Amino acid sequence: MKPLSIGRLALLYLTLSGLLLLAVGGYFWREAQRSAEQLRAHEARAARQELATALDAALGRLKSVGDALARWDETKQQLVFPEYYTLWRDNRARSVGLLPDTVRAIGLYGLDGGLLLGANSADPLPARLPGGTPLALFKREAGIEHIYYFLPVYADPDGTVPLGHLGLKLDLQDAMRQSAPFRYADLRSLRVDLPEGTAVAAEQAMRHIHVDALANRELESFQTMLRDTMSNLLLAAAASLVVAGLLLNRLLIHPLRHLSAEIDARRAPGSEIQPHKLRALPVLELENVRESFNDYQARLAELHHDLELRNRDFFDQARHDALSGVMNRRAFDEDWRDALQDRRLDNIALLLFDCDHFKAINDTYGHHVGDLVIQATAQCLLQALRADDRLYRLGGDEFAAMLTDTDKRQAGMVAERCLEQVIGHDFRQYGMSEPITISIGIALSEAERGKCPPITLTELQKRADLAMYAAKRPGGQKIMFYTPEIGTAEALVTSRAIHAVFRAIQDPGLIEIAYQAVIRLPQMEEAYAEALTRIRCDGELFFPCDIFPIVQCRNLDAEFDLAIIRAINRDLDNGVLPADKGISINLSASGIVNARVLDAMLALLEAERGRKIVVEITETALITQMETATENIRRLREAGALAALDDFGSGYSSLRYLASMPVDLVKFDISMVRLLETGDGKQRLMMEEITRMAINAGYELVAEGIESHELLDRAIGLGFAYAQGYYFGQPGETAAGATPAGCVAPCGAGALSPGN
């Protein structure tokens, strides 16, 4: 093979070097593009999965809302008595907080499948029930994606007596926008390939929905940087090759040619040839390429690490409640599914916690204080739970704890610690003067090993709900375990009682008034009688312990006050009470600030001018409009009535009301009066000081719950002006009345307060 000249070898070396540099740069560029394409494909899949998850979540929330509405007593009421259906549909269902803003329309269908009283013109539902139920449909109308959900409504908890069907219409995009921010999916690019007005099953909606991934700004910036880096690198490499060629020609090729010529010239005999030692030269460009490639790999690893951290943060945030810091409803459902899969259902206790009178506190002190109460309650419950127990906020002021490997005794102990922690917390630091209490309902799982199917979360939560409702009843314990008797009795009694309350508001003739004497002390003569309320409906007699939890829960206080006033007017017109006998009428906190209730009382005072009439204002509920209440009490007193602060010591802010409202009488609650008999030395001393302070302030005192001669003597000794209780006899009944068998003192309540 003919040897090549150094010039040709240098040119070949520079050419190969240039080609090698181009190949390395092209390889890096191709790998970067392939990684970018893989990342885009991943983001596209993630965007679609994110959209599918959001769609499932929206459908799940819609079904939860539908199930809650279907179980709601007022929903069942409309299917039976649809007189207030329009009000229920347009206002009531939203005002109680069961219906999110994303639900555009709701409606009820009769058993014939027809929509009740026509469609809502603003956002109509189908006039006829489509197909069987429950049924979820996805439909595009007027460029907007909707989900329709239809489900049956049953009269009984077992789902055996159908009343009709419930339909809901959800704006899908609004529901998605109000959920957690989308990391991948660009909702603005959402497209649906369904023809206008065509509906498919909601489970098949993702087959027809398409969405683009959000632009990855970091990836675009990185590609721009990589492109600029590669361009600059190629320019530098070309310049380096040119400079290297010039230097090689000047420092190596030219000297070697001269050396070769000199050698050739000295090839003659006797010439001395000096050997030349060649030294390899370092190539800096290859080191720069290596550093650039390492920098690229480091940036890519940093990008993947950042994406992993963000995904982990998104996962955690989606399962924690932002306000209280505890787990949320999604985590609650997921943990239950995990327990179901792991077959850990044998010894589970579900505890439901509900803050008593939280709405009144929120309305009185504002949402900021309400948020502080929620946060403090959550911390108290966390401190009381066991180390491995999780606390969940299900919504509003309702919390839940799922205790595994727990029996009834252990669950009761945990519940007692929770109650003690909340009661012992100083809520006054938030500007409140009222105590905070909670009601706790406990349901124990009854799953047996190998039993199929195991108990469902819905059933367990329903049992805990019933137990918590029993705990919230006046005079009841604050911790209640679910029993089959509670489940049966609460469902039947509550349903009949709700029906009776609504009928009594419409027809006060169903209200029976029992009059209990209030005795003047120490003369021991009857001063006046307190009007106590019962309802007789369909041959069954309902007492205040059944009536007033429903009245309070459904905000019917003012309406029921009006019905009671009309019933008392009826008794007075019929001569049930002699003209010289005084009467005491209870008004609720909502009633005392209601203009219609005030007008009815003023009319009664005008018609019964000369009769002693006492207006008792219940202290167990917060009065949120103090100025209006004070002005209305002043007007009633000017019209001839005496004002009494009822249930003093049992409610929220006794001293605050006593100092703010112009009352004449102060009725000490039965729990305060009994301290004279059952309290320790400190409690009796405090009771004596409070009575002395009230008497010195110019108030006349009434003692409730006098049931023994010894207790009566102690009340007289403290200076009580009046007394009331079973010691003086049972409450008198109207002609149609009957004394309740086995009804203890709390069943003999006034308009909104327990007493006797």
Side-chain angles (χ1 to χ4, degrees):
M1 181 179 180
K2 184 180 179 180
L4 298 177
S5 66
I6 188 63
R8 289 181 179 273
L9 289 174
L11 179 62
L12 179 61
Y13 171 76
L14 292 174
T15 301
L16 292 176
S17 298
L19 292 175
L20 179 61
L21 287 173
L22 289 174
V24 171
Y27 169 76
F28 290 153
W29 179 257
R30 187 186 64 180
E31 288 299 310
Q33 291 298 316
R34 186 170 65 180
S35 298
E37 290 174 359
Q38 292 176 351
L39 184 58
R40 290 193 186 96
H42 169 73
E43 291 178 343
R45 292 191 299 270
R48 187 161 182 83
Q49 180 60 40
E50 191 176 50
L51 186 65
T53 301
L55 177 61
D56 291 341
L59 183 59
R61 288 193 297 272
L62 181 61
K63 290 181 178 180
S64 297
V65 169
D67 293 342
L69 280 173
R71 295 192 302 269
W72 192 23
D73 294 331
E74 289 193 24
T75 302
K76 302 175 182 180
Q77 183 73 21
Q78 300 310 312
L79 286 166
V80 179
F81 302 102
E83 289 84 358
Y84 298 99
Y85 170 73
T86 304
L87 176 64
W88 171 88
R89 179 192 65 194
D90 299 336
N91 297 300
R92 183 63 181 154
R94 296 187 183 276
S95 66
V96 297
L98 290 177
L99 209 59
D101 295 338
T102 52
V103 176
R104 298 305 184 196
I106 63 172
L108 295 175
Y109 294 83
L111 293 174
D112 60 350
L115 188 64
L116 296 185
L117 302 181
N120 184 343
S121 59
D123 211 342
L125 289 167
R128 301 290 303 175
L129 186 68
T133 56
L135 174 65
L137 297 176
F138 172 79
K139 189 174 183 181
R140 182 177 177 85
E141 302 171 306
I144 300 176
E145 294 76 30
H146 292 117
I147 290 182
Y148 289 85
Y149 181 54
F150 304 91
L151 72 162
V153 178
Y154 296 98
D156 59 319
D158 298 330
T160 59
V161 182
L163 292 178
H165 297 82
L166 171 66
L168 299 95
K169 181 177 183 180
L170 175 74
D171 187 324
L172 181 58
Q173 287 209 35
D174 273 358
M176 290 182 174
R177 291 190 187 98
Q178 293 184 13
S179 61
F182 283 83
R183 173 65 183 168
Y184 298 101
D186 185 0
L187 285 183
R188 295 171 298 181
S189 66
L190 191 141
R191 304 178 299 279
V192 179
D193 60 7
L194 279 177
E196 183 74 13
T198 302
V200 298
E203 291 77 11
Q204 302 177 0
M206 283 303 299
R207 300 180 183 177
H208 304 279
I209 298 178
H210 308 280
V211 68
D212 297 332
L214 288 166
N216 192 329
R217 303 300 181 189
E218 294 181 356
L219 178 61
E220 293 175 356
S221 299
F222 176 76
Q223 287 184 305
T224 301
M225 182 199 71
L226 181 62
R227 182 171 59 253
D228 294 341
T229 301
M230 295 298 295
S231 299
N232 295 334
L233 180 62
L234 290 177
L235 290 175
S240 299
L241 288 176
V242 172
V243 172
L246 294 175
L247 292 175
L248 185 63
N249 181 66
R250 183 179 179 83
L251 300 176
L252 181 61
I253 297 176
H254 188 69
L256 285 178
R257 282 178 178 174
H258 281 277
L259 180 61
S260 178
E262 184 179 355
I263 292 175
D264 289 340
R266 296 180 180 184
R267 191 172 291 178
S271 298
E272 294 184 3
I273 306 296
Q274 297 294 332
H276 292 77
K277 296 182 179 180
L278 303 179
R279 183 177 299 174
L281 299 177
V283 183
L284 297 178
E285 286 78 4
L286 292 179
E287 183 66 18
N288 290 337
V289 171
R290 185 186 65 81
E291 291 179 358
S292 297
F293 180 73
N294 288 340
D295 181 63
Y296 164 74
Q297 292 289 349
R299 290 292 301 276
L300 191 60
E302 182 181 352
L303 178 62
H304 282 295
H305 180 66
D306 182 61
L307 290 175
E308 183 179 354
L309 289 179
R310 294 193 179 190
N311 286 337
R312 189 182 300 118
D313 291 341
F314 175 76
F315 182 87
D316 292 339
Q317 292 173 5
R319 285 151 183 82
H320 280 81
D321 175 58
L323 175 61
S324 62
V326 301
M327 310 300 286
N328 61 11
R329 183 58 182 260
R330 172 181 290 182
F332 178 72
D333 294 336
E334 290 180 352
D335 288 349
W336 175 261
R337 287 196 297 269
D338 292 342
L340 186 64
Q341 293 174 358
D342 296 342
R343 300 183 181 276
R344 294 185 284 112
L345 300 178
D346 296 334
N347 300 304
I348 284 183
L350 177 61
L351 277 63
L352 285 187
F353 310 92
D354 187 83
C355 293
D356 298 329
H357 307 291
F358 179 74
K359 182 180 184 301
I361 295 171
N362 217 21
D363 292 342
T364 302
Y365 296 102
H367 293 288
H368 173 67
V369 173
D371 290 346
L372 293 176
V373 170
I374 290 296
Q375 293 169 349
T377 302
Q379 292 304 311
C380 290
L381 297 178
L382 283 174
Q383 293 173 10
L385 293 175
R386 301 174 305 181
D388 296 333
D389 295 334
R390 280 188 170 186
L391 180 65
Y392 310 86
R393 185 186 178 201
L394 303 184
D397 59 328
E398 187 175 355
F399 294 87
M402 192 184 303
L403 311 184
T404 58
D405 299 325
T406 304
D407 56 23
K408 183 175 182 179
R409 183 185 64 84
Q410 293 172 331
M413 293 174 58
V414 172
E416 289 175 0
R417 288 202 305 269
C418 292
L419 184 60
E420 292 172 357
Q421 282 286 342
V422 174
I423 294 176
H425 185 77
D426 183 13
F427 286 91
R428 293 175 298 178
Q429 61 185 299
Y430 311 129
M432 299 172 53
S433 57
E434 294 79 26
I436 296 296
T437 60
I438 58 174
S439 298
I440 307 176
I442 307 175
L444 303 172
S445 67
E446 298 175 355
E448 301 174 0
R449 295 189 180 275
K451 182 178 179 179
C452 183
I455 187 171
T456 64
L457 177 60
T458 301
E459 177 62 26
L460 193 64
Q461 191 169 358
K462 176 182 176 183
R463 295 179 180 182
D465 274 330
L466 289 173
M468 185 177 68
Y469 176 80
K472 294 181 76 70
R473 294 176 68 90
Q477 302 177 7
K478 303 307 292 182
I479 301 174
M480 290 292 292
F481 281 88
Y482 171 82
T483 62
E485 292 76 14
I486 286 180
T488 303
E490 290 292 342
L492 294 177
V493 173
T494 301
S495 177
R496 297 196 305 271
I498 290 173
H499 174 68
V501 168
F502 277 96
R503 285 192 57 188
I505 290 175
Q506 297 299 320
D507 180 11
L510 299 177
I511 296 177
E512 297 181 358
I513 306 295
Y515 297 95
Q516 184 177 35
V518 178
I519 306 301
R520 186 186 306 276
L521 303 177
Q523 294 87 346
M524 299 299 292
E525 60 184 18
E526 182 175 344
Y528 58 92
E530 181 180 2
L532 307 178
T533 304
R534 290 98 163 96
I535 296 177
R536 186 174 297 278
C537 182
D538 297 331
E540 185 174 3
L541 191 61
F542 295 91
F543 297 96
C545 50
D546 301 316
I547 298 170
F548 293 108
I550 297 170
V551 172
Q552 292 175 332
C553 181
R554 287 160 177 78
N555 297 322
L556 298 172
D557 308 73
E559 289 80 358
F560 199 71
D561 285 352
L562 286 171
I564 292 174
I565 294 172
R566 290 197 294 269
I568 292 174
N569 269 316
R570 175 203 63 205
D571 284 358
L572 295 178
D573 291 341
N574 294 335
V576 173
L577 290 177
D580 59 345
K581 187 172 184 179
I583 182 173
S584 175
I585 303 172
N586 290 270
L587 292 184
S588 64
S590 299
I592 195 62
V593 296
N594 184 277
R596 291 190 299 151
V597 174
L598 177 64
D599 291 341
M601 280 302 306
L602 291 174
L604 175 61
L605 289 169
E606 178 65 26
E608 297 295 327
R609 187 176 297 274
R611 184 191 295 270
K612 180 177 182 178
I613 295 181
V614 180
V615 178
E616 297 187 15
I617 296 93
T618 304
E619 193 271 337
T620 52
L622 278 174
I623 298 177
T624 59
Q625 304 176 44
M626 185 62 70
E627 292 183 1
T628 303
T630 302
E631 173 61 20
N632 289 350
I633 294 172
R634 183 190 62 79
R635 293 181 60 185
L636 291 173
R637 294 178 72 198
E638 290 178 351
L642 294 176
L645 180 62
D646 193 13
D647 294 331
F648 181 79
S650 66
Y652 284 98
S653 49
S654 300
L655 296 179
R656 171 190 173 198
Y657 289 167
L658 196 57
S660 302
M661 295 191 302
V663 298
D664 305 287
L665 305 173
V666 178
K667 294 188 67 174
F668 276 62
D669 183 70
I670 186 173
S671 61
M672 295 284 288
V673 175
R674 285 178 177 172
L675 291 178
L676 299 175
E677 194 172 42
T678 62
D680 56 25
K682 292 183 179 180
Q683 290 174 326
R684 287 196 297 272
L685 179 60
M686 183 177 296
M687 179 66 178
E688 293 172 0
E689 291 298 327
I690 293 174
T691 56
R692 184 177 299 110
M693 178 184 66
I695 292 173
N696 291 337
Y699 300 106
E700 289 189 306
L701 307 186
V702 183
E704 291 185 333
I706 300 298
E707 298 180 357
S708 67
H709 185 75
E710 180 182 2
L711 189 57
L712 174 62
D713 287 343
R714 292 185 179 181
I716 294 175
L718 285 179
F720 278 87
Y722 301 93
Q724 179 181 5
Y726 285 177
Y727 177 75
F728 306 106
Q730 296 284 340
E733 305 285 342
T734 61
T739 300
C743 183
V744 295
C747 284
L752 276 178
S753 61
N756 52 5

